[in-house]
């Protein structure tokens, strides 16, 4: 062992201890590791910083932008509602559908892309079903990774290994050659997460957050059926207003004075006003519908004001507020303050009168839209207390097909090897900007920069392991210990060392280091090298024990996980995958020619 190898191993041990203790943010620890590598001269500054311009960072960046574009155009929300119709609020049904869907998708595309697509969708489903996102996001990431051993194109490390095999006069890996071991791994892995994994995943969400926080409190609002609306003449059931928007229709007001009890056979008429109950985001989606409008929007006073220029807040009525005991009509709220009240929440109690006729009470929450300066003045005058300033996230369904087409185009370019996956995702990012599916400002505001900093910094560790010869040293040491023993023990040794190296290094880097050592060892001992290549392909995808795998990074922050959570849940899963692989690989690919 050289001094450089010993120093690097010490840095890795210290980093793992800090990650486990979580006294510091993970991105800060990763930056510290990168600086330590530079100060000890294990890597040059250029080598250390090269990770931030790597294909992995650009891949995650492109995926985050494109999935945010899918979310902004309403695609993710629509897919979530579609899935929720079949799963309902059953936690077990939601979990199995999420895992199977991500595993199937992950078998034919990058597991990172599969996870990125499902993350916002799963968060939305969790909110609708009142489930903790933590119980769904880690199974989502793990199930996407599980299918990496089903097809050749499931992960780029399979393609890389296939190319390396040809250097040893081996036939390249077939498209479905790994399926005999990959499919059982998916079945065992999904079953483990369903029966065991979900029980040991920590949940750090407060009950109030799961049931609905400030941004998901239930409001009462008014929807107007506009002239020439496609809903005119249809029954309430046929219109699917409540089902498609996740809104509950409380009352129908006709001719401004007739209050009708809503039922599925009630025929809608022009200018009917529907009192509806739902979350803030669900109410705001009415703005994107053809044939219905929020009543307050219909009555916007200044035609020169554009909706894009308006702010939106949730405000609480304070003691002493002049609004207490008054109605919006009586106090002439819109004329006096130049603002619109879109919806009202009253401690969870249902309001069944027109909003303009409801007498406001202390503690009522109002969803208010208007010019930011007028809203700020409302708080300065102690009329309301701003609870939350909202980015309304109003979907733009007119761009939905464009966003889907761009996302699919990116995947097709990558699957057909026209360009690398990272390049395809950057091309897609440029296209969603140019087609206005999302603006750069919206995208940059919602990107999880912590994930990019973490992986950009930790890639320096992989460079150091390769440059100092640490990876080769570990592989050679294990081979020297078990090389003369049973071939099954040799397969086991290569599986273990590949899994170990895959945690701090990328899957591809670990494969590049291990494959030559494994295939050369097999040839020297007169074993067929093909089963060794297949075993390493399976092991290179076992990135469950740390959140450094891109798919795991995508769920790390939204699920409020800690570094040790992946070690706790992922270690047993890795053990199960090994058992499956060591039983099947020698049967499908015999060790002796």
């Amino acid at each position: 062992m050289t001094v450089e190898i010993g120093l690097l191993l010490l840095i890795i041990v210290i980093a793992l201890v800090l990650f486990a203790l979580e006294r510091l943010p993970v991105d800060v620890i990763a930056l510290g590791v990168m600086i330590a590598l530079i100060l000890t001269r294990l890597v040059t500054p250029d080598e250390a910083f090269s990770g931030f311009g790597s294909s992995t960072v650009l891949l995650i960046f492109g995926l985050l932008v494109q999935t945010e574009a899918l979310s902004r155009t309403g695609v993710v929300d629509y897919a979530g509602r579609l899935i929720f119709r079949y799963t309902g609020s059953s936690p077990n049904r939601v979990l199995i559908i999420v895992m199977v869907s991500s595993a199937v998708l992950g078998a034919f595309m990058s597991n990172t892309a599969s996870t990125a697509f499902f993350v916002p969708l799963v968060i939305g489903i969790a909110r609708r079903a009142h489930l903790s996102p933590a119980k769904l996001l880690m199974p989502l990431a793990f199930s996407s990774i599980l299918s990496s051993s089903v097809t050749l194109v499931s992960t780029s490390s399979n393609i890389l290994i296939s190319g390396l095999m040809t250097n040893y006069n081996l036939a390249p890996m077939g498209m479905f050659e790994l399926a005999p071991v990959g499919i059982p791994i998916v079945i065992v892995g999904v079953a483990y997460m369903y029966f065991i994994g979900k029980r040991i995943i920590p949940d750090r969400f407060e009950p109030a957050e799961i049931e609905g926080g400030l941004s998901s409190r239930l409001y009462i609002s008014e929807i107007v059926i506009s002239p020439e609306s496609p809903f005119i003449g249809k029954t309430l059931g046929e219109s699917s207003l409540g089902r498609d928007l996740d809104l509950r229709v409380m009352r129908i007001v006709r001719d401004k004075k007739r209050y009708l009890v809503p039922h599925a056979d009630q025929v809608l008429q022009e200018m009917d006003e529907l009192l509806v109950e739902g979350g803030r985001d669900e109410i705001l989606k009415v703005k994107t519908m053809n044939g219905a409008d929020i009543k307050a929007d219909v009555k916007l006073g200044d035609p020169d004001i554009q909706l894009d220029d308006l702010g939106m807040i949730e405000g609480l009525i304070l003691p002493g507020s002049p609004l207490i005991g008054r109605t919006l009509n009586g106090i002439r709220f819109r004329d006096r303050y130049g603002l619109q009240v879109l919806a009202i929440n009253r401690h969870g109690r249902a309001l069944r009168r027109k909003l303009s006729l409801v007498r406001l009470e202390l503690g009522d929450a109002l969803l208010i839209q208007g010019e930011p300066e007028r809203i700020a003045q409302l708080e300065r005058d102690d009329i309301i207390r701003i609870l939350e300033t909202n980015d309304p996230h109003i979907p733009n369904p007119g761009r939905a097909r464009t966003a889907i087409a761009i996302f699919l185009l990116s995947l097709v370019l990558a699957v057909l090897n026209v360009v690398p996956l990272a390049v395809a995702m950057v091309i897609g990012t440029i296209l969603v900007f140019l087609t206005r599916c999302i603006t750069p400002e919206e995208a940059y505001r919602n990107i999880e920069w912590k994930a990019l900093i973490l992986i950009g910094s930790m890639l320096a560790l992989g460079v150091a392991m390769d440059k100092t010869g640490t990876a080769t040293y570990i592989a050679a040491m294990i081979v020297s210990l078990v090389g003369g023993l049973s071939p099954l023990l040799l397969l086991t040794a290569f599986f273990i060392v590949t899994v170990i190296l895959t945690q701090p290094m990328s899957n591809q880097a670990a494969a590049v280091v291990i494959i030559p050592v494994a295939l050369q060892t097999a040839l020297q001992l007169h074993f067929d090298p093909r089963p060794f290549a297949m075993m390493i392909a399976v092991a290179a995808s076992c990135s469950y024990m740390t959140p450094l795998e891109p798919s795991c990074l995508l769920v790390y922050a939204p699920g409020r996980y800690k570094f040790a959570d992946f070690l706790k849940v992922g270690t047993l899963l890795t053990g199960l995958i090994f058992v499956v692989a060591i039983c099947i690989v020698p049967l499908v690919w015999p060790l002796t020619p």
Side-chain angles (χ1 to χ4, degrees):
M1 179 190 297
T2 65
V3 175
E4 289 81 6
I5 292 176
L7 194 55
L8 180 57
L9 291 175
L10 178 62
I11 291 174
I12 292 173
V13 170
I14 294 173
L16 291 175
V17 170
L18 291 175
F19 278 133
L21 294 177
E22 294 207 334
R23 299 291 178 85
L24 296 171
V26 290
D27 50 324
V28 174
I29 297 171
L31 286 169
V33 169
M34 182 180 67
I35 294 300
L37 295 173
I38 295 173
L39 294 179
T40 54
R41 299 188 177 181
L42 295 177
V43 296
T44 65
D46 287 344
E47 289 171 334
F49 299 145
S50 64
F52 290 98
S54 69
S55 60
T56 303
V57 170
L58 290 174
L59 166 61
I60 295 179
F61 170 78
L63 283 170
L64 290 173
V65 172
Q66 289 203 59
T67 51
E68 185 64 22
L70 291 171
S71 179
R72 289 277 176 163
T73 53
V75 175
V76 170
D77 183 74
Y78 175 78
R81 289 202 306 268
L82 198 62
I83 292 176
F84 191 68
R85 288 182 193 175
Y86 296 99
T87 62
S89 58
S90 168
N92 291 334
R93 198 178 303 151
V94 170
L95 180 62
I96 197 67
I97 290 293
V98 164
M99 289 195 295
V100 171
S101 300
S102 63
V104 171
L105 197 60
F108 298 96
M109 59 186 284
S110 159
N111 54 61
T112 311
S114 173
T115 304
F117 176 79
F118 277 100
V119 164
L121 190 152
V122 166
I123 292 174
I125 292 175
R127 179 172 52 81
R128 287 189 180 92
H130 303 293
L131 301 174
S132 170
K135 295 295 186 181
L136 297 176
L137 288 172
M138 189 181 290
L140 162 67
F142 282 8
S143 57
S144 295
I145 301 170
L146 281 168
S147 57
S148 296
S149 298
V150 173
T151 68
L152 176 65
V153 297
S154 299
T155 175
S156 56
S157 60
N158 289 348
I159 299 173
L160 177 62
I161 291 171
S162 178
L164 292 173
M165 289 166 62
T166 61
N167 295 338
Y168 291 84
N169 298 319
L170 297 175
M173 195 182 299
M175 175 61 76
F176 295 98
E177 186 173 357
L178 278 170
V181 66
I183 292 174
I185 285 174
V186 172
I187 294 171
V188 170
V190 168
Y192 162 76
M193 292 303 297
Y194 183 81
F195 292 106
I196 300 174
K198 69 178 181 182
R199 302 180 188 278
I200 57 179
I201 296 174
D203 180 8
R204 297 181 179 88
F205 286 82
E206 298 294 332
E209 294 177 285
I210 297 173
E211 292 300 320
L214 293 177
S215 63
S216 58
R217 64 173 77 244
L218 293 179
Y219 279 96
I220 303 297
S221 187
E222 294 172 306
I223 296 177
V224 179
I225 302 299
S226 56
E228 300 182 1
S229 167
F231 301 129
I232 296 174
K234 289 186 177 180
T235 65
L236 191 59
E238 291 171 341
S239 72
S240 300
L241 277 170
R243 184 189 66 192
D244 289 346
L245 292 177
D246 293 328
L247 297 174
R248 185 162 70 97
V249 180
M250 312 277 293
R251 281 281 189 273
I252 299 177
V253 182
R254 182 164 294 165
D255 301 327
K256 299 188 181 300
K257 55 185 178 181
R258 294 174 56 199
Y259 286 77
L260 307 177
V261 177
H263 53 80
D265 296 328
Q266 180 70 57
V267 178
L268 298 174
Q269 297 183 11
E270 179 182 342
M271 300 309 292
D272 276 353
E273 298 175 14
L274 279 60
L275 268 68
V276 297
E277 180 184 59
R280 177 201 67 192
D281 291 342
E282 282 66 40
I283 288 173
L284 294 179
K285 286 170 191 167
V286 176
K287 294 173 178 285
T288 68
M289 291 190 64
N290 293 321
D293 299 289
I294 296 178
K295 185 177 179 182
D297 279 347
V298 176
K299 298 174 67 176
L300 276 173
D302 188 349
D304 295 328
I305 296 178
Q306 300 296 316
L307 286 177
D308 291 343
D309 300 328
L310 302 182
M312 194 172 297
I313 60 99
E314 289 174 291
L316 191 70
I317 296 181
L318 300 170
S321 170
L323 301 181
I324 296 175
R326 307 288 295 277
T327 66
L328 294 174
N329 257 0
I331 203 171
R332 298 174 59 233
F333 186 89
R334 182 168 58 88
D335 296 331
R336 176 173 295 188
Y337 302 111
L339 301 167
Q340 296 287 345
V341 175
L342 301 182
I344 299 175
N345 169 276
R346 177 168 293 169
H347 314 298
R349 286 157 47 196
L351 302 172
R352 300 181 183 275
R353 304 188 67 193
K354 296 174 65 175
L355 298 192
S356 59
L357 302 180
V358 172
R359 291 197 177 277
L360 301 174
E361 297 179 1
L362 173 66
D364 281 352
L366 309 179
L367 185 60
I368 300 174
Q369 174 182 266
E371 295 178 80
E373 179 54 36
R374 291 181 182 270
I375 292 173
Q377 187 62 47
L378 212 61
E379 184 172 47
R380 287 195 292 268
D381 293 341
D382 293 328
I383 296 172
I384 62 162
R385 170 68 53 77
I386 295 177
L387 294 175
E388 185 174 350
T389 302
N390 300 300
D391 178 5
H393 297 295
I394 301 172
N396 180 12
R399 304 288 186 194
R401 291 182 179 178
T402 303
I404 294 173
I406 291 172
F407 188 72
L408 292 177
L409 173 64
S410 300
L411 296 179
V412 169
L413 289 175
V415 170
L416 297 181
N417 290 321
V418 178
V419 293
L421 180 58
V423 176
M425 288 302 154
V426 173
I427 291 173
T429 298
I430 295 172
L431 290 177
V432 295
F433 288 157
L434 292 177
T435 55
R436 306 294 293 176
C437 293
I438 189 172
T439 66
E441 292 76 14
E442 291 171 335
Y444 300 155
R445 188 165 56 244
N446 291 281
I447 283 179
E448 184 57 52
W449 293 105
K450 180 185 292 187
L452 295 177
I453 291 173
L454 175 62
I455 196 165
S457 301
M458 292 304 292
L459 284 173
L461 188 59
V463 173
M465 292 191 73
D466 186 33
K467 184 178 179 181
T468 61
T470 303
T472 305
Y473 170 78
I474 294 174
M477 185 174 61
I478 292 180
V479 169
S480 66
L481 292 175
V482 300
L485 301 178
S486 163
L488 290 180
L489 285 178
L490 194 58
L491 273 181
T492 300
F494 278 116
F495 182 94
I496 292 172
V497 73
T498 304
V499 168
I500 291 172
L501 294 180
T502 296
Q503 307 312 310
M505 302 174 71
S506 69
N507 299 356
Q508 299 89 336
V512 167
V513 170
I514 297 299
I515 279 289
V517 177
L519 298 188
Q520 192 63 44
T521 301
L523 290 171
Q524 289 178 0
L525 297 177
H526 305 292
F527 295 130
D528 188 339
R530 197 168 196 84
F532 287 82
M534 298 303 167
M535 196 70 169
I536 291 170
V538 171
S541 297
C542 288
S543 306
Y544 307 104
M545 295 188 291
T546 70
L548 301 179
E549 159 71 29
S551 288
C552 296
L553 280 172
L554 291 172
V555 303
Y556 184 80
R560 298 186 185 176
Y561 301 119
K562 293 185 177 181
F563 199 90
D565 296 340
F566 289 86
L567 185 64
K568 183 189 303 182
V569 182
T571 300
L572 182 54
L573 176 59
T574 302
L576 290 174
I577 291 173
F578 165 72
V579 171
V580 173
I582 200 65
C583 290
I584 295 179
V585 167
L587 292 178
V588 179
W589 302 276
L591 286 163
T592 53

